[in-house]
Amino acid sequence: MSPSFLFSQFMGGLTTAMFLFLIASGLSLVFGVMRVINFAHGSFYMFGAYLAWQAVQWLHPTGGGFWLAALLAALAVGLLGALTERLFFRSLYGREELYQLLFTYALVLILGDAAKFLWGTDQLSISTPPALAGSVQVLGTTQPLYTLFIIAIGPAIAFGLWLLLNRTGAGRMVRAAQMDREMLDALGANVGTIYTGMFALSAFLAGLSGALVTPIQSIVPGMDVLIIVQAFIVVVIGGMGSLWGTFWGSVIYGQVLSFGILIFPGFSLFSVFALMAVILIVRPWGLFGRPL
Amino acid sequence: MLEVSGICKSFGGFRAVSNVSLSVGTKQIVAVIGPNGAGKSTLFNLITGHLQPDNGTVRLDGREITGAPPYRICRMGVGRSFQRTNVFPRLTVFENLQAAFLVHHRRGGNFWTRAEDLYRDDTAALLASIGLTGQERTLAGTLSYGNQKQLELGLALASSPAVLLLDEPTAGMSASETHETIRLLESIAAERGLTLLFTEHDMEVVFSIAQKIAVLHQGRIIAEGRPEEVRADPEVRRVYLGHGLTHTQ
Amino acid sequence: MGPIRAAAVTVAATAPELRRRTTAAATVRRRRAVSDRIPWVAIVFLVMATVPWLGTRYDTFLASQIVIDALFAVSLNLLLGTTGLVSFGHIAYFGIGAYVCGILMKTYGVPFSVAFPAAGLGAALFALISGYFCVRLIKLYFAMLTLAFSQIVWAIAYKWNAVTGGDQGLPEIPYPNLDWMSAIPGFGDLSIGARFYLLTLALVAVALAIVHRIVRSPFGRVLTTIRDNPERAAFLGINVRLYQLAAFVIAGGFAGLAGALYGIFSRGVFADYVFWSKSAEILIMTILGGIGYFWGPPVGAAVLVWLNQVITDYTQYWSFVLGAVLLVLLFGFPGGIVGGLDLLWRRLKRLLNA
């Protein structure tokens, strides 16, 4: 195993990691505040991808306009998230978690078929935006610019979320809600707005990651249920509701998957699930989370 | 009977219970009183194994039970009622008590007999003695608050405990319900020869039935003794009882 | 147990009090309604048994699926409705049962009479190992760990080509030898599929009878106390985790039996059977019927299999319909079908009595 081979495995792992972080951060955010696992998060991600494809078709059928399309798709999914919270999820607060879980699963079923209905079952794809279409040589390996962009955007989003949670009034309320839901009421905060906002932000992040994945992965039905499991694993490893935990959880996941292939060929999937199980057994609140 | 010595418990730097020692003699009725947050519930949770003490020991009949899991402490003959009412809401009143008997007689590992047919007479008798006859088929969750408290007492009694710990047995009750409950408690304790340790906010109740009172303040016992001694203690009067007490009886 | 035992409970028992107690016990005993005496369950099973003769091949196919799903859903409900544990990975035990039975019969030529119980034991054993860790966690964390274990099973099934066939699965699992059925009058003309259906029906009937018995036993009663209030249950002297683990193992074992039947019925076992979304589907089936009732999940199984068949005649968007059904259920009928019927029945009775 040459150093450049190891480096390229490492970069591959890091790309996976930063992608997953984009998706998992939203999942973790909603869990932290509402104590709910949102299975539909994967569906939001898938809708982000399809909507980005759709927007590209409308904007520039020739293939340009990727960035605007990605932003529009993410905003539309964010709106979808807000509506979901307002119309349905709100009435499930305080119900048993089984009902909350199954509600989000009902969304998975409905949105999954809605996507099939709207966009069919064929694979769709978007070409890489021209500015990032090239590649560069790093340590004897060829790195596509787009994957470097993904690797850069992960920490950027993490930092942005950190600023939002720690440097704004709304963010402080969210963190208060993470510590103690009753405290929010005591603060006299408008809990409803905060919950809707969190759901919208979380869906926006899912939609954004779905849109950004399109240049390197084709858009297919079923991408929703595949991604959600991976996002769960990341969040469980890092710690539900912890921003930096989710970040490092993604990094660990990416590297375990990337190097797991070398150590147990064919069983890298097994190794990440096993890692998740071990973490849940030893530290159910995750590597960086706090016990509930 | 029950011997707590030098028990301590901190929660993240806050000393909820600090070096508390308390001894409860056989068939004695002992009250632990103190302002809210004095550590009464924590003390109970330490005795019944719901919390692990940082330090100190709990002995039952000379046997050390410190930090044993709750189910084991219960099997050794400690019964308990909780401050927040704690019954099995989706079972009927009858099923609640029947379950308690099943467990007490160690029939829980029986996968084959019909549970419905077991300990019916014991259950009916206990129902009568806690005053819930006629409510057998009511779902426990739909009972009135006072009745739920009675049922909870029944759950604790079904395991024929030697020591009964009651956390605020009359909390949230009206004056007449309180009176009724206390009368019931007294008669049951006398009938069964129970050792009783309870916390209570109603001083009238405390001074009417307790043979011994321990006063807990900020996690420490500041006074302990017969009711009249405690009543006369200047420290107790200063931090807790205030001036109104002499008029309550 | 007479008045003597009763007197041991309350020492000072006066005569009127004793009389009151005896009547109380009698009223409780005299509570079985007329509708309870009609052997509904036996009737339904007998009707189901006529399907190979009175129905089409397709009816037999649907009936097989209903019967197997019914057992699977009942095993899940032992956790969900009886013990109050939300497992999001119950498919793992079903899958293990299917693989154990399939591998034994196909690869090693073991007869069904051995492979079938082995499937149940295998699933129960894995439930014991995974459950040991799961019951240490509460609520959502429990659900997540069960999900994690089921995905481990899926990953193994998907990748361990040598044993599970990997993504190709294990096709062509043989039917058990059911030639002996020809000796029974009227069975001679039945196809092997129909015979296997009848065997399935009989085995499931026995399995359901056993689970029913367990739910009504003292053990089952203890599980319901844990469901309602684990903290209080512990202070009745119940080792909560031990009982939860026992329920988990039993539920896993019966799920394994259902899986074994399913593998043979569907002529193969594939990794897709074990994917996590299947756990969600069986949860839907269970709550659709009603988790508060023993016969809720089988009703849910029947309705869902039937609905699937009707809907897929019209549209390919079955998931959409299932999601919509689930929404209606969550927001309108949290008690499920049986819960809704029960409520209706009681209202009717009250109307008639008034």
Side-chain angles (χ1 to χ4, degrees):
Chain A
M1 275 180 241
S2 67
S4 69
F5 174 73
L6 288 178
F7 179 71
S8 89
Q9 286 300 113
F10 170 75
M11 290 299 276
L14 207 56
T15 316
T16 313
M18 288 306 107
F19 235 125
L20 278 176
F21 172 71
L22 281 188
I23 302 155
S25 57
L27 190 68
S28 174
L29 218 52
V30 162
F31 180 85
V33 179
M34 304 179 192
R35 300 280 179 260
V36 166
I37 301 177
N38 181 13
F39 282 111
H41 201 68
S43 311
F44 290 154
Y45 159 85
M46 179 174 73
F47 260 67
Y50 274 115
L51 285 171
W53 180 87
Q54 192 66 60
V56 165
Q57 303 308 305
W58 284 334
L59 289 169
H60 294 277
T62 47
F66 173 76
W67 301 108
L68 182 58
L71 185 65
L72 286 176
L75 286 173
V77 175
L79 185 66
L80 182 64
L83 285 175
T84 311
E85 199 276 339
R86 273 279 147 114
L87 296 180
F88 297 104
F89 211 88
R90 182 147 292 191
S91 56
L92 291 176
Y93 295 135
R95 295 271 296 274
E96 287 161 58
E97 59 257 44
L98 170 66
Y99 292 98
Q100 301 178 348
L101 283 175
L102 284 178
F103 168 70
T104 68
Y105 189 74
L107 287 183
V108 172
L109 293 170
I110 289 171
L111 292 177
D113 264 4
K116 275 187 206 160
F117 178 76
L118 292 169
W119 292 288
T121 52
D122 292 340
Q123 291 195 359
L124 303 175
S125 61
I126 297 181
S127 48
T128 312
L132 296 177
S135 59
V136 288
Q137 294 290 317
V138 185
L139 295 175
T141 62
T142 307
Q143 298 294 333
L145 280 174
Y146 195 80
T147 63
L148 293 179
F149 161 72
I150 294 294
I151 291 175
I153 203 162
I157 294 274
F159 186 63
L161 285 175
W162 182 82
L163 281 182
L164 185 72
L165 290 176
N166 291 275
R167 293 287 181 268
T168 66
R172 274 192 278 271
M173 295 230 177
V174 169
R175 286 197 307 141
Q178 286 181 350
M179 305 283 179
D180 186 354
R181 293 170 83 155
E182 282 157 24
M183 201 148 98
L184 260 191
D185 290 320
L187 288 173
N190 189 342
V191 182
T193 313
I194 288 185
Y195 282 7
T196 312
M198 290 318 289
F199 230 88
L201 176 61
S202 155
F204 173 85
L205 290 168
L208 184 67
S209 43
L212 292 181
V213 82
T214 52
I216 45 177
Q217 269 177 29
S218 50
I219 311 166
V220 283
M223 63 195 285
D224 49 351
V225 289
L226 281 175
I227 201 73
I228 191 69
V229 175
Q230 299 179 32
F232 273 155
I233 297 175
V234 162
V235 171
V236 166
I237 292 173
M240 289 245 157
S242 152
L243 174 66
W244 292 109
T246 306
F247 184 82
W248 292 114
S250 314
V251 173
I252 294 169
Y253 179 103
Q255 297 309 331
V256 167
L257 197 66
S258 198
F259 288 95
I261 286 181
L262 303 179
I263 301 162
F264 323 97
F267 276 86
S268 60
L269 263 178
F270 173 81
S271 56
V272 287
F273 291 127
L275 179 65
M276 173 185 179
V278 167
I279 297 237
L280 276 171
I281 290 165
V282 181
R283 256 181 95 87
W285 51 90
L287 292 178
F288 298 85
R290 290 172 304 110
L292 287 182
Chain B
M1 187 80 210
L2 184 69
E3 192 76 43
V4 177
S5 47
I7 210 164
C8 300
K9 180 74 187 178
S10 303
F11 298 107
F14 169 70
R15 309 198 74 177
V17 167
S18 171
N19 200 21
V20 166
S21 298
L22 180 68
S23 91
V24 182
T26 307
K27 298 191 188 178
Q28 209 173 20
I29 299 181
V30 178
V32 177
I33 61 171
N36 282 336
K40 291 169 293 180
S41 291
T42 309
L43 176 63
F44 270 30
N45 285 333
L46 289 168
I47 295 173
T48 56
H50 288 86
L51 290 173
Q52 302 284 319
D54 301 332
N55 237 318
T57 56
V58 183
R59 283 171 197 281
L60 182 69
D61 267 342
R63 253 201 307 179
E64 180 160 350
I65 58 167
T66 322
Y71 73 90
R72 218 167 264 158
I73 290 180
C74 174
R75 285 184 194 170
M76 290 175 193
V78 179
R80 160 160 198 196
S81 80
F82 294 77
Q83 186 168 4
R84 259 198 331 193
T85 318
N86 239 325
V87 295
F88 304 111
R90 290 198 279 164
L91 302 185
T92 65
V93 170
F94 195 85
E95 287 167 343
N96 264 271
L97 291 180
Q98 203 177 23
F101 277 112
L102 290 171
V103 175
H104 175 58
H105 292 282
R106 304 289 185 92
R107 299 294 288 271
N110 179 334
F111 291 79
W112 211 244
T113 325
R114 283 167 59 92
E116 223 177 295
D117 300 335
L118 299 170
Y119 306 108
R120 299 195 70 91
D121 296 330
D122 290 5
T123 306
L126 182 56
L127 269 169
S129 76
I130 57 171
L132 281 178
T133 305
Q135 303 260 37
E136 291 84 355
R137 296 183 58 190
T138 315
L139 287 183
T142 63
L143 283 176
S144 74
Y145 184 78
N147 283 347
Q148 288 196 10
K149 282 262 171 195
Q150 282 167 285
L151 178 58
E152 211 198 336
L153 180 64
L155 288 175
L157 289 174
S159 58
S160 307
V163 184
L164 192 57
L165 273 68
L166 302 171
D167 201 347
E168 300 276 350
T170 69
M173 286 190 180
S174 67
S176 67
E177 279 178 325
T178 300
H179 183 75
E180 182 75 2
T181 306
I182 291 309
R183 198 197 54 76
L184 185 67
L185 269 179
E186 262 184 320
S187 70
I188 288 175
E191 279 169 23
R192 298 182 165 219
L194 280 176
T195 304
L196 211 58
L197 176 65
F198 69 106
T199 68
E200 180 55 60
H201 63 284
D202 186 331
M203 286 309 123
E204 196 174 335
V205 169
V206 171
F207 284 96
S208 69
I209 67 169
Q211 295 157 359
K212 176 173 155 181
I213 298 175
V215 185
L216 210 55
H217 181 62
Q218 294 176 345
R220 296 169 184 283
I221 291 203
I222 57 167
E224 186 184 347
R226 282 178 290 122
E228 51 278 19
E229 292 169 3
V230 167
R231 199 200 303 264
D233 188 295
E235 174 78 354
V236 175
R237 298 181 70 94
R238 191 176 63 76
V239 303
Y240 184 48
L241 293 176
H243 334 284
L245 185 82
T246 36
H247 306 296
T248 56
Q249 264 193 304
Chain C
M1 280 175 292
I4 295 172
R5 274 302 277 284
V9 176
T10 17
V11 177
T14 57
E17 233 176 37
L18 260 181
R19 209 175 311 130
R20 218 166 63 220
R21 272 177 222 158
T22 332
T23 26
T27 24
V28 175
R29 240 174 238 140
R30 215 190 312 122
R31 69 177 205 189
R32 320 200 103 207
V34 184
S35 60
D36 289 350
R37 291 217 199 90
I38 303 173
W40 293 113
V41 176
I43 292 171
V44 169
F45 269 98
L46 284 177
V47 171
M48 295 290 284
T50 63
V51 169
W53 289 280
L54 302 181
T56 61
R57 271 179 82 105
Y58 190 58
D59 291 334
T60 308
F61 173 84
L62 289 180
S64 300
Q65 203 161 341
I66 289 173
V67 169
I68 295 169
D69 280 349
L71 177 58
F72 186 25
V74 164
S75 77
L76 176 63
N77 201 34
L78 185 64
L79 296 179
L80 200 59
T82 311
T83 321
L85 289 172
V86 178
S87 167
F88 234 92
H90 204 49
I91 193 69
Y93 310 98
F94 182 85
I96 288 173
Y99 272 110
V100 167
C101 185
I103 291 166
L104 285 178
M105 288 180 72
K106 188 188 173 195
T107 315
Y108 298 100
V110 172
F112 176 76
S113 54
V114 176
F116 180 67
L121 287 178
L125 183 67
F126 184 66
L128 179 67
I129 297 165
S130 53
Y132 174 81
F133 297 107
C134 292
V135 299
R136 262 140 224 282
L137 305 183
I138 52 162
K139 300 197 160 188
L140 262 185
Y141 289 117
F142 174 87
M144 288 191 303
L145 189 54
T146 54
L147 178 69
F149 275 116
S150 87
Q151 283 298 97
I152 289 177
V153 172
W154 173 75
I156 293 173
Y158 192 64
K159 290 290 182 183
W160 198 10
N161 292 354
V163 175
T164 64
D167 54 355
Q168 299 298 306
L170 274 184
E172 288 156 25
I173 293 174
Y175 274 118
N177 184 348
L178 296 176
D179 292 342
W180 54 271
M181 278 194 185
S182 313
I184 307 171
F187 281 55
D189 299 333
L190 291 180
S191 68
I192 180 74
R195 287 180 187 186
F196 186 68
Y197 163 68
L198 290 172
L199 178 69
T200 298
L201 183 67
L203 289 172
V204 168
V206 172
L208 290 183
I210 293 172
V211 180
H212 186 260
R213 191 91 200 210
I214 291 174
V215 170
R216 297 295 145 98
S217 73
F219 171 76
R221 177 71 61 81
V222 169
L223 296 184
T224 59
T225 66
I226 293 172
R227 170 197 71 199
D228 274 17
N229 193 337
E231 194 196 22
R232 190 71 187 87
F235 222 77
L236 291 182
I238 296 168
N239 184 345
V240 172
R241 281 176 182 171
L242 186 68
Y243 277 86
Q244 285 176 328
L245 181 58
F248 201 79
V249 170
I250 294 169
F254 281 101
L257 294 180
L261 294 171
Y262 191 75
I264 299 171
F265 157 70
S266 64
R267 320 294 307 116
V269 188
F270 306 94
D272 276 0
Y273 288 5
V274 204
F275 199 61
W276 69 268
S277 50
K278 301 284 172 190
S279 289
E281 281 166 27
I282 200 72
L283 272 169
I284 296 172
M285 192 175 274
T286 309
I287 70 158
L288 174 67
I291 59 172
Y293 304 83
F294 184 85
W295 296 108
V299 170
V303 170
L304 218 54
V305 169
W306 169 78
L307 195 66
N308 175 287
Q309 189 253 332
V310 173
I311 298 291
T312 43
D313 277 354
Y314 292 99
T315 164
Q316 51 165 321
Y317 299 112
W318 160 244
S319 292
F320 187 91
V321 175
L322 185 60
V325 167
L326 186 53
L327 283 189
V328 172
L329 200 64
L330 292 176
F331 290 99
F333 301 93
I337 295 171
V338 178
L341 290 176
D342 191 29
L343 200 69
L344 196 71
W345 171 244
R346 269 188 272 160
R347 292 229 173 111
L348 266 176
K349 257 203 317 208
R350 212 177 306 153
L351 268 181
L352 291 175
N353 289 344

